[in-house]
Amino acid sequence: MKKIMLLSCFLAVCFTGFAQAAEQGKFGADRHVAKGVPCAACHGEKNEISAPDINQCTKCHNPDELVEKTKNVKPQNPHTSPHYSNQLECTLCHVQHAEPENYCAQCHNLDFKVK
């Protein structure tokens, strides 16, 4: 009985922490969960997709709409590059289970604020 109570308390604390992180939108995955998007939307019903790629992302996020939405970002629209057009892997910048990264800054002096 004591083990069950400890497990229940542990799960309640973990879930509460996860829910708070989701509300705060710490990572991309948290923001997805906060909007009601289940993990299976990116990782598959049986978690068969360990690292979702652009094909998975574009099922919900239209690349052309993202290009239009960020068309006024200077000095370069981050969603259409001279190297990749609008086909750069989304998770190179929009890391879902960690801090986002400015992939372009590896080679260029571009100060994009990535969410």
Side-chain angles (χ1 to χ4, degrees), residues 22-99:
E23 286 174 16
Q24 294 169 1
K26 183 173 181 181
F27 299 138
D30 300 320
R31 290 190 301 275
H32 279 94
V33 168
K35 290 183 178 184
V37 178
C39 299
C42 299
H43 292 285
E45 290 298 323
K46 297 179 181 171
N47 204 29
E48 65 272 16
I49 303 168
S50 60
D53 64 11
I54 191 171
N55 297 313
Q56 202 65 13
C57 299
T58 57
K59 287 180 180 179
C60 298
H61 304 280
N62 182 314
D64 295 328
E65 290 176 7
L66 291 171
V67 168
E68 179 63 23
K69 182 177 179 180
T70 55
K71 69 181 178 185
N72 295 321
V73 173
K74 301 294 181 207
Q76 171 69 42
N77 186 335
H79 291 111
T80 182
S81 83
H83 309 294
Y84 308 99
S85 184
N86 65 354
Q87 295 301 303
L88 179 66
E89 287 294 336
C90 307
T91 56
L92 291 175
C93 293
H94 303 282
V95 182
Q96 295 301 295
H97 296 283
E99 292 293 327

